[in-house]
């Protein structure tokens, strides 16, 4: 049985899907941070919820790649995929930290 190899083009499509969705999420997170500074906590939460939807889409693309790999597809890694993975992971971390910032901002606002 011959192993299937993912084409360079298919790998690049997945990489750009990850980059686009995580990039959209990052923009929404930065908007949420600005809203927090203005005391607009409800709107900030909405932005973070929307960012999470984008992160889930990026994660779906990543998961499909992992599934193909687990099923035996040979994937020749490219620098664009390394960049995509880095972008996704740093945006996921930024999202988690921003959720903590939101909780802190809300707590401080309640004490004032």
């Amino acid at each position: 049985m011959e192993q299937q190899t993912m084409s360079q083009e298919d790998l690049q499509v997945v990489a750009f899907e990850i980059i686009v969705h995580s990039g959209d999420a990052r923009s929404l997170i930065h908007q949420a941070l600005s809203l927090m500074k203005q005391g607009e906590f409800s709107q900030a939460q909405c932005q973070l919820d929307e960012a999470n939807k984008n992160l889930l889409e990026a994660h779906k693309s990543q998961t499909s790649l992992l599934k193909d790999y687990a099923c035996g597809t040979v994937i020749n890694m490219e620098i664009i995929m390394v960049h995509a993975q880095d972008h996704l992971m740093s945006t996921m971390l930024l999202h988690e930290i921003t959720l903590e910032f939101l909780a802190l901002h809300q707590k401080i606002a309640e004490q004032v």
Side-chain angles (χ1 to χ4, degrees), residues 14 17-18 21 56-66:
V14 174
E17 287 173 357
I18 293 169
H21 290 298
L56 289 173
E57 287 301 314
H59 194 259
K60 283 181 190 177
S61 296
Q62 180 189 49
T63 301
S64 74
L65 184 69
L66 292 170

Side-chain angles (χ1 to χ4, degrees), residues 1 4 6 12 28 42 50 73 83 104 107 112:
M1 181 179 217
Q4 184 178 4
M6 178 174 277
Q12 290 172 354
L28 289 162
S42 178
E50 194 63 31
T73 300
H83 173 67
L104 289 172
K107 188 172 186 174
V112 174

Side-chain angles (χ1 to χ4, degrees), residues 34-42 105 109:
S34 293
L35 289 165
M36 280 182 237
K37 290 178 191 175
Q38 300 167 22
E40 300 291 340
F41 305 128
S42 178
H105 274 278

Side-chain angles (χ1 to χ4, degrees), residues 40-87:
E40 300 291 340
F41 305 128
S42 178
Q43 289 179 313
Q45 182 64 59
C46 288
Q47 295 297 89
L48 291 172
D49 292 343
E50 194 63 31
N52 192 56
K53 290 177 187 176
N54 280 283
L55 287 171
L56 289 173
E57 287 301 314
H59 194 259
K60 283 181 190 177
S61 296
Q62 180 189 49
T63 301
S64 74
L65 184 69
L66 292 170
K67 180 182 155 197
D68 288 347
Y69 178 76
C71 290
T73 300
V74 175
I75 299 173
N76 297 315
M77 198 51 57
E78 293 189 15
I79 192 69
I80 192 67
M81 181 54 75
V82 173
H83 173 67
Q85 294 297 314
D86 180 53
H87 202 284

